[in-house]
Amino acid sequence: VTGFTHLLIVRMLFGIGEGPMGTTTNKSIANWFPKKETGRAVGFTNAGQPLGAAIAAPVVGLVGLHYGWRIAFIVIALLGFVWVACWLWLFRDKPEDHPRVGPAERELISRQRPATQAAAAPQQDRHSLWRYVFSLPVLGVASAFFCFNYIQYFFLSWLPSYLTDFQHLDIKSMSIIGVLPWLGATAGFLGGGIVSDMLFRRTQNFLLSRKLVIFVGLAVAALCVLLTAWSRDVVSAVTLITLASVFAYMTPQACWSLLQDIVPAGRIGTAGGFVHLLANLAGILSPGITGFLIQYGGGYHTAFLLASALAVAGMLLLALLVRQKGVNTLRALAAN
């Protein structure tokens, strides 16, 4: 890129390309995994996102320092092309289409898919998709996801500046220390999926097991982000942000898994896209609001307070909107 306008256009195209990732990943997992394994599957799959950020921080920083920022971007782009080749070679939309999946495994997956209790195809479902996407349970999941995403984009867009401007780290040190929150986020993705599946096996209550993981994750993240607002040394700040990342990143895979149980299989793609749309509004709002608060509204202190408050709001909206009665109503709707 050669200027601001060029950069803006490229960033918009990047976002358009990246946008379907969460929805299509969730739909693929719904097609491929039994209900009892969806938490781990979503957690393991999405752990690649913060793990990629952890690897990218030192790679981009150090390559950029030695060879220039353009070369750093080229290195990352080449990794994307390698992934595309692997994806085309390994992936099929459904187990029935994959030559390496045997009949017994196909039967197991088909019998225990997450939304089998309401698996009507869209053409067979007499009800409008809007009845699903604007239902209280789906809006509750989207609200919790939005509040998590606000924290995520807060860290993605402003953590490097916070470490360099407020904590006075140089770029080389920030590239190394900045890895820790993303390693914590990777652990949160993996751990949240394992814990939610474990709770489901013990309680046999899919809704409770997912909601509990989201609630605890957002609660601890809110507390850690709140304490970061008063942190004045880099060790305590990075420790708190890393803990916040661990627990906050327990949230998204539980949200995706929860959505698979709320919405019938024939509507999971559309409903997931809608949830992703609402959640990613945080990606538009968070960087701008944070920048405004840093410059005009009290600095990083106020920005951390707002992120903490939104995590609490996500907990409350989840508790109020995602209830068994509303989920049962959606299931009955799809069955009739």
Side-chain angles (χ1 to χ4, degrees):
V1 299
T2 56
F4 177 77
T5 302
H6 194 184
L7 176 63
L8 184 63
I9 293 171
V10 171
R11 289 282 291 174
M12 288 179 64
L13 292 173
F14 181 87
I16 291 171
E18 183 191 25
M21 183 190 71
T23 302
T24 52
T25 298
N26 196 42
K27 175 63 175 176
S28 300
I29 289 171
N31 286 347
W32 269 90
F33 287 87
K35 184 174 182 177
K36 64 182 180 180
E37 297 177 7
T38 55
R40 283 171 290 168
V42 175
F44 181 83
T45 303
N46 287 286
Q49 182 180 357
L51 184 60
I55 295 171
V59 169
V60 172
L62 297 176
V63 172
L65 282 173
H66 288 89
Y67 302 105
W69 68 269
R70 294 181 193 274
I71 299 299
F73 274 67
I74 290 171
V75 169
I76 299 300
L78 291 175
L79 291 176
F81 287 116
V82 171
W83 175 86
V84 168
C86 293
W87 179 257
L88 293 174
W89 175 44
L90 294 172
F91 183 75
R92 299 294 183 273
D93 188 46
K94 294 181 179 180
E96 301 91 285
D97 303 327
H98 204 294
R100 298 185 183 180
V101 178
E105 187 176 4
R106 285 199 297 268
E107 172 62 23
L108 173 67
I109 296 171
S110 177
R111 190 173 63 251
Q112 299 184 24
R113 279 176 181 157
T116 49
Q117 77 282 350
Q123 64 269 24
Q124 298 171 332
D125 194 337
R126 298 181 293 103
H127 304 283
S128 167
L129 64 91
W130 304 115
R131 293 285 300 274
Y132 298 105
V133 298
F134 287 126
S135 64
L136 291 181
V138 172
L139 291 174
V141 173
S143 299
F145 210 149
F146 174 91
C147 295
F148 156 75
N149 259 5
Y150 188 94
I151 297 175
Q152 174 179 234
Y153 283 106
F154 174 41
F155 287 164
L156 279 171
S157 56
W158 285 99
L159 183 59
S161 298
Y162 170 75
L163 293 176
T164 53
D165 297 343
F166 191 82
Q167 296 293 347
H168 308 298
L169 292 178
D170 56 50
I171 293 178
K172 183 177 180 180
S173 300
M174 185 276 294
S175 296
I176 297 171
I177 293 176
V179 169
L180 296 177
W182 302 118
L183 290 178
T186 303
F189 260 131
L190 295 171
I194 293 170
V195 169
S196 61
D197 280 349
M198 181 184 69
L199 288 172
F200 173 62
R201 287 196 302 271
R202 293 194 174 187
T203 64
Q204 293 301 304
N205 188 323
F206 199 87
L207 192 69
L208 174 64
S209 62
R210 269 50 182 177
K211 283 180 65 176
L212 189 59
V213 168
I214 297 170
F215 199 88
V216 172
L218 288 177
V220 177
L223 178 61
C224 291
V225 171
L226 180 66
L227 294 175
T228 306
W230 281 277
S231 176
R232 291 294 177 266
D233 64 278
V234 69
V235 174
S236 61
V238 171
T239 300
L240 288 168
I241 290 171
T242 301
L243 285 173
S245 297
V246 171
F247 283 91
Y249 276 80
M250 294 171 66
T251 301
Q253 81 274 24
C255 285
W256 284 125
S257 299
L258 191 58
L259 191 66
Q260 291 179 13
D261 196 56
I262 291 173
V263 181
R267 299 297 191 185
I268 191 68
T270 305
F274 179 76
V275 168
H276 210 213
L277 166 67
L278 293 185
N280 276 297
L281 291 177
I284 300 173
L285 297 173
S286 179
I289 292 173
T290 301
F292 181 85
L293 292 176
I294 290 171
Q295 187 163 359
Y296 303 110
Y300 284 100
H301 178 85
T302 308
F304 277 105
L305 290 180
L306 177 59
S308 176
L310 282 173
V312 174
M315 296 162 50
L316 296 176
L317 289 169
L318 179 76
L320 291 172
L321 299 179
V322 184
R323 297 188 175 189
Q324 190 66 57
K325 182 179 179 180
V327 173
N328 291 341
T329 299
L330 283 185
R331 291 174 180 171
L333 185 70
N336 296 322

PDB file of all heavy atoms in Angstrom, residues 81-107:
ATOM      1  N   PHE A  81      -1.318 -19.019   1.712  1.00  0.00           N
ATOM      2  CA  PHE A  81      -1.409 -19.856   0.506  1.00  0.00           C
ATOM      3  C   PHE A  81      -1.112 -21.323   0.826  1.00  0.00           C
ATOM      4  O   PHE A  81      -1.717 -22.232   0.251  1.00  0.00           O
ATOM      5  CB  PHE A  81      -0.444 -19.339  -0.561  1.00  0.00           C
ATOM      6  CG  PHE A  81      -0.894 -18.057  -1.203  1.00  0.00           C
ATOM      7  CD1 PHE A  81      -0.145 -16.900  -1.063  1.00  0.00           C
ATOM      8  CD2 PHE A  81      -2.066 -18.009  -1.941  1.00  0.00           C
ATOM      9  CE1 PHE A  81      -0.566 -15.712  -1.650  1.00  0.00           C
ATOM     10  CE2 PHE A  81      -2.494 -16.832  -2.533  1.00  0.00           C
ATOM     11  CZ  PHE A  81      -1.743 -15.674  -2.387  1.00  0.00           C
ATOM     12  N   VAL A  82      -0.187 -21.563   1.748  1.00  0.00           N
ATOM     13  CA  VAL A  82       0.095 -22.942   2.179  1.00  0.00           C
ATOM     14  C   VAL A  82      -1.155 -23.553   2.811  1.00  0.00           C
ATOM     15  O   VAL A  82      -1.518 -24.703   2.548  1.00  0.00           O
ATOM     16  CB  VAL A  82       1.281 -22.976   3.166  1.00  0.00           C
ATOM     17  CG1 VAL A  82       1.429 -24.364   3.785  1.00  0.00           C
ATOM     18  CG2 VAL A  82       2.572 -22.570   2.465  1.00  0.00           C
ATOM     19  N   TRP A  83      -1.843 -22.761   3.643  1.00  0.00           N
ATOM     20  CA  TRP A  83      -3.068 -23.247   4.285  1.00  0.00           C
ATOM     21  C   TRP A  83      -4.130 -23.593   3.250  1.00  0.00           C
ATOM     22  O   TRP A  83      -4.808 -24.620   3.360  1.00  0.00           O
ATOM     23  CB  TRP A  83      -3.611 -22.196   5.255  1.00  0.00           C
ATOM     24  CG  TRP A  83      -4.923 -22.616   5.840  1.00  0.00           C
ATOM     25  CD1 TRP A  83      -5.128 -23.399   6.934  1.00  0.00           C
ATOM     26  CD2 TRP A  83      -6.227 -22.317   5.319  1.00  0.00           C
ATOM     27  NE1 TRP A  83      -6.483 -23.602   7.136  1.00  0.00           N
ATOM     28  CE2 TRP A  83      -7.166 -22.958   6.158  1.00  0.00           C
ATOM     29  CE3 TRP A  83      -6.677 -21.583   4.235  1.00  0.00           C
ATOM     30  CZ2 TRP A  83      -8.530 -22.862   5.939  1.00  0.00           C
ATOM     31  CZ3 TRP A  83      -8.047 -21.493   4.011  1.00  0.00           C
ATOM     32  CH2 TRP A  83      -8.954 -22.128   4.864  1.00  0.00           C
ATOM     33  N   VAL A  84      -4.311 -22.749   2.237  1.00  0.00           N
ATOM     34  CA  VAL A  84      -5.323 -23.008   1.209  1.00  0.00           C
ATOM     35  C   VAL A  84      -5.066 -24.355   0.531  1.00  0.00           C
ATOM     36  O   VAL A  84      -5.994 -25.148   0.324  1.00  0.00           O
ATOM     37  CB  VAL A  84      -5.325 -21.874   0.156  1.00  0.00           C
ATOM     38  CG1 VAL A  84      -6.162 -22.266  -1.061  1.00  0.00           C
ATOM     39  CG2 VAL A  84      -5.872 -20.590   0.762  1.00  0.00           C
ATOM     40  N   ALA A  85      -3.816 -24.635   0.215  1.00  0.00           N
ATOM     41  CA  ALA A  85      -3.475 -25.908  -0.432  1.00  0.00           C
ATOM     42  C   ALA A  85      -3.822 -27.087   0.476  1.00  0.00           C
ATOM     43  O   ALA A  85      -4.403 -28.085   0.028  1.00  0.00           O
ATOM     44  CB  ALA A  85      -1.990 -25.919  -0.794  1.00  0.00           C
ATOM     45  N   CYS A  86      -3.481 -26.972   1.762  1.00  0.00           N
ATOM     46  CA  CYS A  86      -3.785 -28.054   2.717  1.00  0.00           C
ATOM     47  C   CYS A  86      -5.284 -28.239   2.875  1.00  0.00           C
ATOM     48  O   CYS A  86      -5.781 -29.372   2.947  1.00  0.00           O
ATOM     49  CB  CYS A  86      -3.141 -27.755   4.068  1.00  0.00           C
ATOM     50  SG  CYS A  86      -1.334 -27.795   4.047  1.00  0.00           S
ATOM     51  N   TRP A  87      -6.032 -27.137   2.932  1.00  0.00           N
ATOM     52  CA  TRP A  87      -7.482 -27.191   3.108  1.00  0.00           C
ATOM     53  C   TRP A  87      -8.160 -27.904   1.948  1.00  0.00           C
ATOM     54  O   TRP A  87      -9.017 -28.769   2.123  1.00  0.00           O
ATOM     55  CB  TRP A  87      -8.016 -25.766   3.257  1.00  0.00           C
ATOM     56  CG  TRP A  87      -9.494 -25.647   3.413  1.00  0.00           C
ATOM     57  CD1 TRP A  87     -10.388 -25.273   2.454  1.00  0.00           C
ATOM     58  CD2 TRP A  87     -10.267 -25.899   4.598  1.00  0.00           C
ATOM     59  NE1 TRP A  87     -11.673 -25.265   2.972  1.00  0.00           N
ATOM     60  CE2 TRP A  87     -11.618 -25.644   4.291  1.00  0.00           C
ATOM     61  CE3 TRP A  87      -9.938 -26.303   5.876  1.00  0.00           C
ATOM     62  CZ2 TRP A  87     -12.636 -25.789   5.210  1.00  0.00           C
ATOM     63  CZ3 TRP A  87     -10.961 -26.446   6.805  1.00  0.00           C
ATOM     64  CH2 TRP A  87     -12.277 -26.195   6.470  1.00  0.00           C
ATOM     65  N   LEU A  88      -7.761 -27.542   0.724  1.00  0.00           N
ATOM     66  CA  LEU A  88      -8.363 -28.169  -0.456  1.00  0.00           C
ATOM     67  C   LEU A  88      -8.053 -29.662  -0.514  1.00  0.00           C
ATOM     68  O   LEU A  88      -8.857 -30.457  -1.010  1.00  0.00           O
ATOM     69  CB  LEU A  88      -7.845 -27.471  -1.723  1.00  0.00           C
ATOM     70  CG  LEU A  88      -8.300 -26.014  -1.917  1.00  0.00           C
ATOM     71  CD1 LEU A  88      -7.611 -25.400  -3.119  1.00  0.00           C
ATOM     72  CD2 LEU A  88      -9.813 -25.923  -2.072  1.00  0.00           C
ATOM     73  N   TRP A  89      -6.904 -30.040  -0.005  1.00  0.00           N
ATOM     74  CA  TRP A  89      -6.492 -31.434  -0.032  1.00  0.00           C
ATOM     75  C   TRP A  89      -7.197 -32.259   1.044  1.00  0.00           C
ATOM     76  O   TRP A  89      -7.663 -33.365   0.799  1.00  0.00           O
ATOM     77  CB  TRP A  89      -4.971 -31.513   0.150  1.00  0.00           C
ATOM     78  CG  TRP A  89      -4.425 -32.907   0.249  1.00  0.00           C
ATOM     79  CD1 TRP A  89      -4.765 -33.990  -0.528  1.00  0.00           C
ATOM     80  CD2 TRP A  89      -3.457 -33.370   1.188  1.00  0.00           C
ATOM     81  NE1 TRP A  89      -4.056 -35.106  -0.136  1.00  0.00           N
ATOM     82  CE2 TRP A  89      -3.244 -34.758   0.912  1.00  0.00           C
ATOM     83  CE3 TRP A  89      -2.740 -32.769   2.216  1.00  0.00           C
ATOM     84  CZ2 TRP A  89      -2.350 -35.520   1.649  1.00  0.00           C
ATOM     85  CZ3 TRP A  89      -1.837 -33.531   2.941  1.00  0.00           C
ATOM     86  CH2 TRP A  89      -1.651 -34.890   2.667  1.00  0.00           C
ATOM     87  N   LEU A  90      -7.368 -31.682   2.254  1.00  0.00           N
ATOM     88  CA  LEU A  90      -7.816 -32.469   3.398  1.00  0.00           C
ATOM     89  C   LEU A  90      -9.312 -32.390   3.676  1.00  0.00           C
ATOM     90  O   LEU A  90      -9.897 -33.332   4.193  1.00  0.00           O
ATOM     91  CB  LEU A  90      -7.063 -32.017   4.667  1.00  0.00           C
ATOM     92  CG  LEU A  90      -5.559 -32.277   4.700  1.00  0.00           C
ATOM     93  CD1 LEU A  90      -4.939 -31.596   5.912  1.00  0.00           C
ATOM     94  CD2 LEU A  90      -5.282 -33.771   4.735  1.00  0.00           C
ATOM     95  N   PHE A  91      -9.949 -31.269   3.360  1.00  0.00           N
ATOM     96  CA  PHE A  91     -11.302 -31.035   3.866  1.00  0.00           C
ATOM     97  C   PHE A  91     -12.381 -31.461   2.884  1.00  0.00           C
ATOM     98  O   PHE A  91     -12.239 -31.293   1.671  1.00  0.00           O
ATOM     99  CB  PHE A  91     -11.486 -29.554   4.215  1.00  0.00           C
ATOM    100  CG  PHE A  91     -12.836 -29.254   4.816  1.00  0.00           C
ATOM    101  CD1 PHE A  91     -13.124 -29.600   6.125  1.00  0.00           C
ATOM    102  CD2 PHE A  91     -13.828 -28.659   4.057  1.00  0.00           C
ATOM    103  CE1 PHE A  91     -14.371 -29.354   6.675  1.00  0.00           C
ATOM    104  CE2 PHE A  91     -15.077 -28.402   4.594  1.00  0.00           C
ATOM    105  CZ  PHE A  91     -15.340 -28.753   5.909  1.00  0.00           C
ATOM    106  N   ARG A  92     -13.489 -31.987   3.451  1.00  0.00           N
ATOM    107  CA  ARG A  92     -14.733 -32.208   2.713  1.00  0.00           C
ATOM    108  C   ARG A  92     -15.872 -31.677   3.578  1.00  0.00           C
ATOM    109  O   ARG A  92     -15.784 -31.681   4.795  1.00  0.00           O
ATOM    110  CB  ARG A  92     -14.955 -33.696   2.422  1.00  0.00           C
ATOM    111  CG  ARG A  92     -13.861 -34.334   1.573  1.00  0.00           C
ATOM    112  CD  ARG A  92     -13.811 -33.788   0.160  1.00  0.00           C
ATOM    113  NE  ARG A  92     -12.805 -34.457  -0.651  1.00  0.00           N
ATOM    114  CZ  ARG A  92     -11.516 -34.103  -0.717  1.00  0.00           C
ATOM    115  NH1 ARG A  92     -11.077 -33.077   0.019  1.00  0.00           N
ATOM    116  NH2 ARG A  92     -10.681 -34.751  -1.492  1.00  0.00           N
ATOM    117  N   ASP A  93     -16.956 -31.263   2.943  1.00  0.00           N
ATOM    118  CA  ASP A  93     -18.026 -30.590   3.673  1.00  0.00           C
ATOM    119  C   ASP A  93     -18.675 -31.488   4.714  1.00  0.00           C
ATOM    120  O   ASP A  93     -19.020 -31.046   5.807  1.00  0.00           O
ATOM    121  CB  ASP A  93     -19.087 -30.081   2.691  1.00  0.00           C
ATOM    122  CG  ASP A  93     -20.117 -29.198   3.373  1.00  0.00           C
ATOM    123  OD1 ASP A  93     -19.704 -28.314   4.144  1.00  0.00           O
ATOM    124  OD2 ASP A  93     -21.311 -29.397   3.145  1.00  0.00           O
ATOM    125  N   LYS A  94     -18.836 -32.773   4.392  1.00  0.00           N
ATOM    126  CA  LYS A  94     -19.487 -33.706   5.302  1.00  0.00           C
ATOM    127  C   LYS A  94     -18.698 -35.014   5.359  1.00  0.00           C
ATOM    128  O   LYS A  94     -17.988 -35.361   4.409  1.00  0.00           O
ATOM    129  CB  LYS A  94     -20.923 -33.987   4.851  1.00  0.00           C
ATOM    130  CG  LYS A  94     -21.839 -32.767   4.935  1.00  0.00           C
ATOM    131  CD  LYS A  94     -23.239 -33.133   4.500  1.00  0.00           C
ATOM    132  CE  LYS A  94     -24.169 -31.909   4.597  1.00  0.00           C
ATOM    133  NZ  LYS A  94     -25.551 -32.238   4.176  1.00  0.00           N
ATOM    134  N   PRO A  95     -18.841 -35.761   6.451  1.00  0.00           N
ATOM    135  CA  PRO A  95     -18.133 -37.046   6.559  1.00  0.00           C
ATOM    136  C   PRO A  95     -18.486 -38.004   5.431  1.00  0.00           C
ATOM    137  O   PRO A  95     -17.638 -38.797   4.994  1.00  0.00           O
ATOM    138  CB  PRO A  95     -18.608 -37.602   7.909  1.00  0.00           C
ATOM    139  CG  PRO A  95     -19.062 -36.410   8.678  1.00  0.00           C
ATOM    140  CD  PRO A  95     -19.588 -35.440   7.676  1.00  0.00           C
ATOM    141  N   GLU A  96     -19.739 -37.928   4.950  1.00  0.00           N
ATOM    142  CA  GLU A  96     -20.161 -38.815   3.876  1.00  0.00           C
ATOM    143  C   GLU A  96     -19.363 -38.607   2.598  1.00  0.00           C
ATOM    144  O   GLU A  96     -19.280 -39.502   1.741  1.00  0.00           O
ATOM    145  CB  GLU A  96     -21.649 -38.605   3.561  1.00  0.00           C
ATOM    146  CG  GLU A  96     -22.576 -38.846   4.749  1.00  0.00           C
ATOM    147  CD  GLU A  96     -22.836 -37.584   5.560  1.00  0.00           C
ATOM    148  OE1 GLU A  96     -21.924 -37.173   6.301  1.00  0.00           O
ATOM    149  OE2 GLU A  96     -23.944 -37.032   5.454  1.00  0.00           O
ATOM    150  N   ASP A  97     -18.772 -37.423   2.450  1.00  0.00           N
ATOM    151  CA  ASP A  97     -18.033 -37.092   1.226  1.00  0.00           C
ATOM    152  C   ASP A  97     -16.545 -37.396   1.325  1.00  0.00           C
ATOM    153  O   ASP A  97     -15.822 -37.233   0.347  1.00  0.00           O
ATOM    154  CB  ASP A  97     -18.210 -35.595   0.898  1.00  0.00           C
ATOM    155  CG  ASP A  97     -19.673 -35.195   0.761  1.00  0.00           C
ATOM    156  OD1 ASP A  97     -20.463 -36.048   0.307  1.00  0.00           O
ATOM    157  OD2 ASP A  97     -20.008 -34.046   1.106  1.00  0.00           O
ATOM    158  N   HIS A  98     -16.079 -37.788   2.517  1.00  0.00           N
ATOM    159  CA  HIS A  98     -14.634 -37.969   2.709  1.00  0.00           C
ATOM    160  C   HIS A  98     -14.257 -39.439   2.544  1.00  0.00           C
ATOM    161  O   HIS A  98     -14.824 -40.315   3.203  1.00  0.00           O
ATOM    162  CB  HIS A  98     -14.219 -37.484   4.096  1.00  0.00           C
ATOM    163  CG  HIS A  98     -12.772 -37.091   4.170  1.00  0.00           C
ATOM    164  ND1 HIS A  98     -11.750 -37.989   4.031  1.00  0.00           N
ATOM    165  CD2 HIS A  98     -12.193 -35.875   4.355  1.00  0.00           C
ATOM    166  CE1 HIS A  98     -10.597 -37.359   4.139  1.00  0.00           C
ATOM    167  NE2 HIS A  98     -10.842 -36.075   4.323  1.00  0.00           N
ATOM    168  N   PRO A  99     -13.286 -39.740   1.682  1.00  0.00           N
ATOM    169  CA  PRO A  99     -12.927 -41.139   1.420  1.00  0.00           C
ATOM    170  C   PRO A  99     -12.284 -41.852   2.604  1.00  0.00           C
ATOM    171  O   PRO A  99     -12.266 -43.090   2.635  1.00  0.00           O
ATOM    172  CB  PRO A  99     -11.943 -41.035   0.249  1.00  0.00           C
ATOM    173  CG  PRO A  99     -11.384 -39.649   0.328  1.00  0.00           C
ATOM    174  CD  PRO A  99     -12.499 -38.797   0.850  1.00  0.00           C
ATOM    175  N   ARG A 100     -11.759 -41.108   3.585  1.00  0.00           N
ATOM    176  CA  ARG A 100     -11.066 -41.736   4.704  1.00  0.00           C
ATOM    177  C   ARG A 100     -11.975 -42.016   5.902  1.00  0.00           C
ATOM    178  O   ARG A 100     -11.502 -42.493   6.929  1.00  0.00           O
ATOM    179  CB  ARG A 100      -9.896 -40.861   5.151  1.00  0.00           C
ATOM    180  CG  ARG A 100      -8.827 -40.673   4.072  1.00  0.00           C
ATOM    181  CD  ARG A 100      -7.646 -39.891   4.613  1.00  0.00           C
ATOM    182  NE  ARG A 100      -6.650 -39.657   3.564  1.00  0.00           N
ATOM    183  CZ  ARG A 100      -5.512 -39.001   3.755  1.00  0.00           C
ATOM    184  NH1 ARG A 100      -5.220 -38.532   4.960  1.00  0.00           N
ATOM    185  NH2 ARG A 100      -4.677 -38.826   2.757  1.00  0.00           N
ATOM    186  N   VAL A 101     -13.255 -41.692   5.794  1.00  0.00           N
ATOM    187  CA  VAL A 101     -14.195 -41.916   6.890  1.00  0.00           C
ATOM    188  C   VAL A 101     -14.972 -43.201   6.621  1.00  0.00           C
ATOM    189  O   VAL A 101     -15.639 -43.326   5.597  1.00  0.00           O
ATOM    190  CB  VAL A 101     -15.167 -40.728   7.041  1.00  0.00           C
ATOM    191  CG1 VAL A 101     -16.162 -40.996   8.159  1.00  0.00           C
ATOM    192  CG2 VAL A 101     -14.392 -39.449   7.330  1.00  0.00           C
ATOM    193  N   GLY A 102     -14.870 -44.139   7.567  1.00  0.00           N
ATOM    194  CA  GLY A 102     -15.532 -45.431   7.400  1.00  0.00           C
ATOM    195  C   GLY A 102     -17.012 -45.375   7.723  1.00  0.00           C
ATOM    196  O   GLY A 102     -17.503 -44.404   8.320  1.00  0.00           O
ATOM    197  N   PRO A 103     -17.765 -46.417   7.378  1.00  0.00           N
ATOM    198  CA  PRO A 103     -19.223 -46.453   7.609  1.00  0.00           C
ATOM    199  C   PRO A 103     -19.599 -46.315   9.085  1.00  0.00           C
ATOM    200  O   PRO A 103     -20.563 -45.627   9.420  1.00  0.00           O
ATOM    201  CB  PRO A 103     -19.631 -47.831   7.066  1.00  0.00           C
ATOM    202  CG  PRO A 103     -18.552 -48.201   6.097  1.00  0.00           C
ATOM    203  CD  PRO A 103     -17.287 -47.600   6.629  1.00  0.00           C
ATOM    204  N   ALA A 104     -18.840 -46.952   9.988  1.00  0.00           N
ATOM    205  CA  ALA A 104     -19.174 -46.889  11.416  1.00  0.00           C
ATOM    206  C   ALA A 104     -19.030 -45.470  11.949  1.00  0.00           C
ATOM    207  O   ALA A 104     -19.869 -44.984  12.721  1.00  0.00           O
ATOM    208  CB  ALA A 104     -18.272 -47.842  12.203  1.00  0.00           C
ATOM    209  N   GLU A 105     -17.970 -44.794  11.526  1.00  0.00           N
ATOM    210  CA  GLU A 105     -17.763 -43.417  11.994  1.00  0.00           C
ATOM    211  C   GLU A 105     -18.823 -42.486  11.420  1.00  0.00           C
ATOM    212  O   GLU A 105     -19.328 -41.601  12.107  1.00  0.00           O
ATOM    213  CB  GLU A 105     -16.364 -42.939  11.596  1.00  0.00           C
ATOM    214  CG  GLU A 105     -16.002 -41.585  12.192  1.00  0.00           C
ATOM    215  CD  GLU A 105     -14.579 -41.157  11.878  1.00  0.00           C
ATOM    216  OE1 GLU A 105     -13.892 -41.876  11.122  1.00  0.00           O
ATOM    217  OE2 GLU A 105     -14.163 -40.107  12.393  1.00  0.00           O
ATOM    218  N   ARG A 106     -19.177 -42.679  10.163  1.00  0.00           N
ATOM    219  CA  ARG A 106     -20.234 -41.854   9.561  1.00  0.00           C
ATOM    220  C   ARG A 106     -21.556 -42.029  10.295  1.00  0.00           C
ATOM    221  O   ARG A 106     -22.276 -41.062  10.551  1.00  0.00           O
ATOM    222  CB  ARG A 106     -20.406 -42.211   8.076  1.00  0.00           C
ATOM    223  CG  ARG A 106     -19.328 -41.678   7.165  1.00  0.00           C
ATOM    224  CD  ARG A 106     -19.781 -41.667   5.718  1.00  0.00           C
ATOM    225  NE  ARG A 106     -20.068 -43.015   5.223  1.00  0.00           N
ATOM    226  CZ  ARG A 106     -19.185 -43.794   4.615  1.00  0.00           C
ATOM    227  NH1 ARG A 106     -17.937 -43.364   4.441  1.00  0.00           N
ATOM    228  NH2 ARG A 106     -19.529 -44.993   4.177  1.00  0.00           N
ATOM    229  N   GLU A 107     -21.866 -43.245  10.666  1.00  0.00           N
ATOM    230  CA  GLU A 107     -23.107 -43.521  11.395  1.00  0.00           C
ATOM    231  C   GLU A 107     -23.091 -42.867  12.766  1.00  0.00           C
ATOM    232  O   GLU A 107     -24.085 -42.287  13.212  1.00  0.00           O
ATOM    233  CB  GLU A 107     -23.291 -45.035  11.515  1.00  0.00           C
ATOM    234  CG  GLU A 107     -24.446 -45.457  12.426  1.00  0.00           C
ATOM    235  CD  GLU A 107     -25.793 -44.991  11.938  1.00  0.00           C
ATOM    236  OE1 GLU A 107     -25.940 -44.728  10.723  1.00  0.00           O
ATOM    237  OE2 GLU A 107     -26.711 -44.879  12.771  1.00  0.00           O
TER     238      GLU A 107
END
